């Protein structure tokens, strides 16, 4: 509910206990024999000056929201207050930018197209200011506000039909508050005390949209150079998100919790969370042997062949405890040798596929070139001539 700044009794600095007392006095006259309990369970002050009032049950909330009772309740508060419905926000990505969200009939069209109750859609708006879009941008994200968790869960689980297109939606979760000026956690840029801007990408003294550093990353919070300050993979962001989910358990669920059990399902671990190693159960002997194999620093594996011709892998563990199932360990002649464990794992290779008959050898006839001619020496008259052997022909090979 919203409180007028000029309210005579409830001011911004009014103690919390006094505010609860004034609200409880305004709720008491609404109780009768058929009324549910209207005792205030919790009160939360918002940054904008509003108040979130929590009652014991949904029936109590609907009881107070009945028009005549709501008017009586506000009259007890001097009329300078306004009861607002809690809104359940859903993010709808990739909506065409040509969609006219200013059309006054678009909310009723969404209700009819998606089978939602009348007046269940409270508002719709672009998440990013249309003036900041790129001239090439064709789609953008939309924030859809609904007044009931049932309507919001229906859109989250089934999807949103808009202009004969089906769009996937997800719950608008609260995220850790990060300053867009100094990139630190826990405050808005309007409350920042730093004089200079800090880039969320490279960490330089400028705004992110003015950054011209090429592939330069620096996170102000975790001092990492692998990502920027706005990266959701930052370990500091993951830690802050876990702290926020611990304070607001509803933030860790993909749906808005209702009386239906399936809406209380929790989200899976973050994609950046460490993987939890699990393995199927084994008996004590298999577990000890498994641990023995995978954690000994001197494991030796050799490829062998059994007596039947099957290939085997032999794994030898030097200096280990005696294995009662290994006959080589229990043999009496091995007492003076270092204790070893020998395990054989038989396996077979797939048959070699046949690709056809073997190829015939290729015959290539090579014709040798004739030897170079040498000049015949001049013979003296008294020398007897000698007949030289003719060169071999190719046919003589």
């Amino acid at each position: 509910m919203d409180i007028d700044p000029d309210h005579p009794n409830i001011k911004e600095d009014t103690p919390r206990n006094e505010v609860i007392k004034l609200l409880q006095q305004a709720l008491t006259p609404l109780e009768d024999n058929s009324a549910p309990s209207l005792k205030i369970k919790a009160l939360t002050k918002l940054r904008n000056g509003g108040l979130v009032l929590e009652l014991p049950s949904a029936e109590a909330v609907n009881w107070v929201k009945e028009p005549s009772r709501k008017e009586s309740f506000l009259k007890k508060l001097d009329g300078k207050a306004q009861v607002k419905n809690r809104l359940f926000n859903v993010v709808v990505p990739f909506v065409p930018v040509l969609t006219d969200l200013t059309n006054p009939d678009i909310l009723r069209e969404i209700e009819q197209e998606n089978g939602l109750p009348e007046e269940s859609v409270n508002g719709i708006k672009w998440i990013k200011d249309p003036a900041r879009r790129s001239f090439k941008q064709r789609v953008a994200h939309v924030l859809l506000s609904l007044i009931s968790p049932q309507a919001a869960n229906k859109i989250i689980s089934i999807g949103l039909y808009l202009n004969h297109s089906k769009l996937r939606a997800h719950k608008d979760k609260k995220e850790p508050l990060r300053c867009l000026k100094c990139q630190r956690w826990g405050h808005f840029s309007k409350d920042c005390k730093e004089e200079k801007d800090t880039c969320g990408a490279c960490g330089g003294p400028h705004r992110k949209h003015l950054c011209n550093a090429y592939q330069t990353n620096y996170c102000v919070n975790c001092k990492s150079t692998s990502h920027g300050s706005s990266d959701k993979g930052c370990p500091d962001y993951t830690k802050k998100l876990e702290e926020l989910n611990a304070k607001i358990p509803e933030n860790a669920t993909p749906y808005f919790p209702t009386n239906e059990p399936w809406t209380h399902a929790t989200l899976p671990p973050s994609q950046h969370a460490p993987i939890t190693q699990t393995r199927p159960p084994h008996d004590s002997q298999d577990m000890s042997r498994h641990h023995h194999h995978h954690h000994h620093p001197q494991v030796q594996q050799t490829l062998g062949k059994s007596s039947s011709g099957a290939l085997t892998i032999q794994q030898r563990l030097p200096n280990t405890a005696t294995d009662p199932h290994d006959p080589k360990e229990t043999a009496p002649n091995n007492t003076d040798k270092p204790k070893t464990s020998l395990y054989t794992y038989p396996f077979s290779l797939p048959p070699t596929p046949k690709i056809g008959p073997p190829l015939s050898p290729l015959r290539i006839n090579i014709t040798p070139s004739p030897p170079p001619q040498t000049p015949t020496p001049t013979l003296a008259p008294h020398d007897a001539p000698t007949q030289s052997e003719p060169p071999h022909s190719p046919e003589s090979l």
Side-chain angles (χ1 to χ4, degrees):
M1 59 183 300
D2 289 342
I3 303 297
D4 195 315
D6 298 329
H7 196 281
N9 299 322
I10 302 178
K11 302 289 185 181
E12 184 178 357
D13 56 349
T14 303
R16 186 168 175 271
N17 292 336
E18 292 186 12
V19 175
I20 295 176
K21 183 179 179 180
L22 292 172
L23 294 175
Q24 190 66 65
Q25 291 175 355
L27 288 172
T28 301
L30 303 180
E31 294 181 346
D32 56 27
N33 295 333
S34 59
S37 175
L38 301 181
K39 186 177 180 179
I40 298 176
K41 292 185 61 177
L43 179 69
T44 304
K45 287 187 176 183
L46 303 179
R47 293 178 179 268
N48 59 2
L51 301 174
V52 177
L53 191 62
E54 184 176 347
L55 298 179
S57 62
E59 290 78 10
V61 174
N62 295 330
W63 180 273
V64 176
K65 285 184 178 180
E66 196 274 329
S68 61
R69 300 189 187 97
K70 181 173 67 173
E71 183 179 357
S72 176
F73 171 67
L74 296 177
K75 187 176 180 180
K76 292 291 183 181
L77 293 175
D78 296 333
K80 293 190 175 181
Q82 183 181 2
V83 176
K84 286 189 174 182
N85 293 323
R86 179 191 173 185
L87 298 180
F88 300 88
N89 295 327
V90 173
V91 177
V92 186
F94 310 122
V95 178
V97 296
L98 297 179
T99 306
D100 184 13
L101 301 187
T102 61
N103 181 7
D105 299 328
I106 189 171
L107 301 183
R108 308 289 80 83
E109 293 175 358
I110 291 176
E111 293 169 354
Q112 295 176 3
E113 196 168 355
N114 293 272
L116 300 175
E118 293 185 3
E119 306 294 332
S120 60
V121 180
N122 184 266
I124 185 172
K125 65 178 182 179
W126 300 108
I127 295 179
K128 182 179 179 180
D129 185 2
R132 298 175 54 193
R133 291 176 184 162
S134 168
F135 70 95
K136 296 182 179 180
Q137 188 169 343
R138 297 294 179 265
V139 293
H141 292 7
V142 158
L143 186 68
L144 188 67
S145 300
L146 301 106
I147 64 172
S148 70
Q150 291 79 8
N153 290 337
K154 182 177 180 180
I155 291 178
I156 294 173
S157 59
I158 299 178
L160 177 71
Y161 292 94
L162 183 63
N163 293 334
H164 303 285
S165 298
K166 187 174 183 179
L167 305 171
R168 292 297 178 185
H170 62 268
K171 179 181 177 181
D172 182 27
K173 293 178 39 178
K174 295 184 182 297
E175 296 186 357
L177 183 61
R178 180 175 59 87
C179 175
L180 298 180
K181 184 176 183 181
C182 69
Q183 309 302 325
R184 302 290 183 181
W185 304 107
H187 63 274
F188 290 102
S189 57
K190 65 178 182 179
D191 302 324
C192 185
K193 298 181 180 179
E194 295 290 335
E195 297 181 357
K196 296 182 179 180
D197 293 322
T198 301
C199 179
C202 71
H206 52 262
R207 287 295 184 101
K208 185 177 179 179
H209 68 278
L210 299 176
C211 181
N212 56 7
Y214 178 70
Q215 293 184 349
T216 302
N217 297 317
Y218 181 75
C219 179
V220 175
N221 296 298
C222 70
K223 313 300 181 184
S224 173
T225 57
S226 63
H227 60 268
S229 302
S230 59
D231 195 333
K232 293 187 178 181
C234 175
D236 269 24
Y237 173 84
T238 303
K239 181 180 178 181
K240 293 291 183 181
L241 183 59
E242 291 175 352
E243 294 175 356
L244 183 61
N245 291 344
K247 294 179 181 179
I248 312 175
E250 181 182 326
N251 204 50
T253 61
Y255 304 102
F256 294 98
T258 62
N259 294 331
E260 300 181 15
W262 63 269
T263 61
H264 295 266
T266 57
L267 290 171
S270 170
Q271 59 178 341
H272 305 286
I275 298 176
T276 303
Q277 298 291 345
T278 59
R279 60 182 72 255
H282 299 276
D283 55 19
S284 58
Q285 179 180 347
D286 291 341
M287 286 296 293
S288 61
R289 185 172 295 183
H290 175 83
H291 176 80
H292 201 55
H293 291 175
H294 291 271
H295 296 278
H296 201 283
Q298 299 179 356
V299 176
Q300 297 179 358
Q301 293 182 345
T302 57
L303 182 65
K305 198 172 185 180
S306 66
S307 58
S308 61
L311 294 177
T312 61
I313 292 179
Q314 296 178 350
Q315 196 172 53
R316 187 177 296 275
L317 309 177
N319 300 325
T320 59
T322 302
D323 186 356
H325 300 279
D326 193 348
K328 297 183 180 180
E329 297 298 331
T330 58
N333 56 355
N334 288 340
T335 56
D336 298 332
K337 297 180 181 180
K339 300 300 181 181
T340 60
S341 297
L342 182 63
Y343 300 101
T344 302
Y345 303 95
F347 68 95
S348 59
L349 297 177
T352 304
K354 296 182 179 181
I355 58 175
L359 299 177
S360 302
L362 182 63
R363 296 181 178 274
I364 302 177
N365 294 328
I366 301 177
T367 304
S369 57
Q373 298 292 337
T374 56
T376 305
T378 304
L379 301 178
H382 57 275
D383 293 333
T386 60
Q387 185 176 4
S388 61
E389 185 179 356
H392 296 283
S393 64
E395 290 77 13
S396 63
L397 291 179

